[in-house]
Amino acid sequence: MATHELPRGIRKRGAKYFVDVTHQGKRKTATVATLHEAMAKKSELTEALTTGKEIKATRANAAGWTLQQALDKVLSLPKPEGWRGCSYEKQATLNVQDAIKFMGPDVKLEAINRDLIDAWLHDCEARSNSDSTINRKVSALSKVLKLAIEYGGLDALPKMPMQRKERVSRIRFITKDEETALYQFFIQIGRDDMAAFVMVLIETGMRRGELMNLRPVDVDLKSGVIMVYGTEGKGTKNGKIRSVAMTKACRGALQDRMTGATCFDLSVSDVRHLWDRARMHLGLADDNDFVLHVCRHTCASRLVKAGVSLPTVQQWLGHSSITTTMRYAHLYPQDIMNAAKALEGEG
């Protein structure tokens, strides 16, 4: 279990946990073996003191599921109930596994309460998790607990933390000079495939996983259209299939890569390693925003700056909501520019 600051009223006593609750001059204590038992006991003692009623019976599902069992259930089911085969399956799983690592592998669902969740999130903060990362972790845990209720593994959902306000970060995009330098570096080290890979990412705005799984059969060089099916044909991030038009540069990058099972024979580790080498070469190793996903931001930024409507950009990138696309609206506020021109005309 990760090192963390224990919640008020709980402290270590040797290998066990001592629970000490006081309310209006009345005090109750208990000693238990694990932290999650201590959290549950604290809630039980607090309720007993505030209501004046002793809680002798445990919840009906005291022998219910563990958090690991609940996660296994979610992974066994397809959308919309579960995560099996979803593009976010791996990341959502890691988020819940983070909770399991902190709370303990045998933690029962009925022992998970707000105090324990808050202690986990405090530990996440200590590990420098951002508010957006913490929101994703809470959302994943909530999904698992809600499904457990549906299948009888838990009686009721514990009180969950509110979503945190996420920082609006600057949208980083690749300049033309940086783009040229990237291509030159990859070609210089004999990795024309990575140069072509980055070019297609920038020209299409595709996600890394979408391009890594792009097959020659999905590319129509004659009509200039790419059908984006996502990860292993399971759909894109939002579960839909979309088409993307090819620029001349994109078509040139793909036309010599139409013979294998996929257009690019690159692994995730290959791409990450080569991108990190390029960052170092360009002197951008300390630029935390210069990650591979910046290629997608670059495509979106260029479309918006060229005056392409936001609904069209949404369709091009495959955003499920226009709200996501609106992040790029400030790059070319067309309505505001037209308003300024109207004022000039009135002068």
Side-chain angles (χ1 to χ4, degrees):
M1 183 175 293
T3 301
H4 59 281
E5 180 181 341
L6 292 174
R8 184 177 179 181
I10 298 176
R11 62 180 182 269
K12 286 296 291 289
R13 177 176 283 180
K16 296 187 177 183
Y17 291 84
F18 180 68
V19 183
D20 189 346
V21 180
T22 301
H23 179 72
Q24 295 182 348
K26 296 181 179 180
R27 182 187 182 198
K28 286 185 177 291
T29 62
T31 301
V32 293
T34 66
L35 176 58
H36 65 261
E37 288 176 344
M39 295 290 194
K41 180 59 68 174
K42 178 184 175 183
S43 295
E44 179 181 313
L45 296 181
T46 299
E47 184 175 351
L49 286 172
T50 55
T51 63
K53 297 179 180 179
E54 293 293 337
I55 301 175
K56 298 179 179 180
T58 59
R59 289 170 60 171
N61 67 333
W65 292 3
T66 65
L67 183 52
Q68 181 62 58
Q69 287 175 307
L71 174 58
D72 291 342
K73 187 63 177 180
V74 171
L75 294 175
S76 72
L77 299 170
K79 289 178 65 176
E81 282 191 297
W83 294 334
R84 190 186 75 210
C86 297
S87 59
Y88 50 82
E89 176 183 351
K90 181 177 180 181
Q91 187 56 56
T93 301
L94 290 173
N95 286 336
V96 179
Q97 287 174 339
D98 187 79
I100 294 173
K101 182 178 180 181
F102 175 81
M103 298 177 188
D106 299 322
V107 61
K108 292 292 185 69
L109 297 186
E110 75 271 5
I112 299 177
N113 56 25
R114 180 60 186 268
D115 284 336
L116 183 55
I117 295 171
D118 284 345
W120 170 47
L121 299 186
H122 180 79
D123 185 69
C124 291
E125 292 172 352
R127 289 181 277 131
S128 301
N129 284 186
S130 66
D131 286 340
S132 60
T133 297
I134 289 175
N135 282 341
R136 303 294 88 75
K137 289 184 175 182
V138 171
S139 177
L141 177 63
S142 179
K143 169 72 174 180
V144 168
L145 296 179
K146 287 177 181 177
L147 187 74
I149 293 173
E150 292 292 325
Y151 283 84
L154 180 65
D155 287 340
L157 188 70
K159 185 174 178 59
M160 302 297 291
M162 294 179 63
Q163 286 278 299
R164 302 186 178 200
K165 186 175 181 180
E166 299 180 13
R167 179 178 66 92
V168 179
S169 59
R170 178 175 66 94
I171 295 177
R172 176 69 156 92
F173 55 86
I174 300 172
T175 66
K176 287 292 185 181
D177 287 343
E178 289 171 341
E179 183 180 4
T180 299
L182 281 170
Y183 299 151
Q184 288 176 344
F185 172 73
F186 291 132
I187 292 171
Q188 178 184 337
I189 63 173
R191 297 306 302 254
D192 296 38
D193 55 344
M194 186 63 178
F197 188 81
V198 171
M199 178 177 287
V200 175
L201 287 178
I202 293 174
E203 295 293 320
T204 65
M206 293 171 66
R207 302 175 179 91
R208 181 195 66 187
E210 293 171 349
L211 182 53
M212 290 182 67
N213 289 280
L214 184 69
R215 305 165 299 174
V217 70
D218 303 328
V219 181
D220 189 337
L221 293 173
K222 185 175 181 180
S223 65
V225 174
I226 297 173
M227 296 301 298
V228 183
Y229 289 92
T231 305
E232 299 175 359
K234 297 174 182 176
T236 58
K237 185 177 181 180
N238 61 13
K240 298 179 181 179
I241 299 169
R242 71 180 189 278
S243 58
V244 176
M246 283 185 279
T247 62
K248 290 181 180 179
C250 177
R251 193 180 311 208
L254 287 174
Q255 63 184 1
D256 295 329
R257 305 184 181 279
M258 304 290 288
T259 57
T262 56
C263 295
F264 291 94
D265 185 19
L266 289 165
S267 66
V268 173
S269 59
D270 289 336
V271 172
R272 183 180 296 116
H273 173 68
L274 290 168
W275 183 263
D276 287 344
R277 286 186 61 184
R279 285 180 63 181
M280 184 72 69
H281 177 76
L282 270 62
L284 298 171
D286 294 328
D287 186 343
N288 294 328
D289 293 322
F290 198 77
V291 295
L292 188 68
H293 198 71
V294 79
C295 296
R296 183 167 164 84
H297 290 322
T298 301
C299 179
S301 301
R302 292 178 182 178
L303 287 170
V304 172
K305 287 182 178 180
V308 178
S309 70
L310 290 178
T312 301
V313 176
Q314 176 191 5
Q315 184 178 2
W316 182 292
L317 296 177
H319 289 154
S320 58
S321 170
I322 192 67
T323 303
T324 305
T325 319
M326 287 296 294
R327 292 181 300 171
Y328 306 101
H330 70 281
L331 299 173
Y332 186 78
Q334 191 170 21
D335 291 341
I336 294 176
M337 299 299 291
N338 290 339
K341 291 176 182 177
L343 288 174
E344 289 176 350
E346 291 179 1

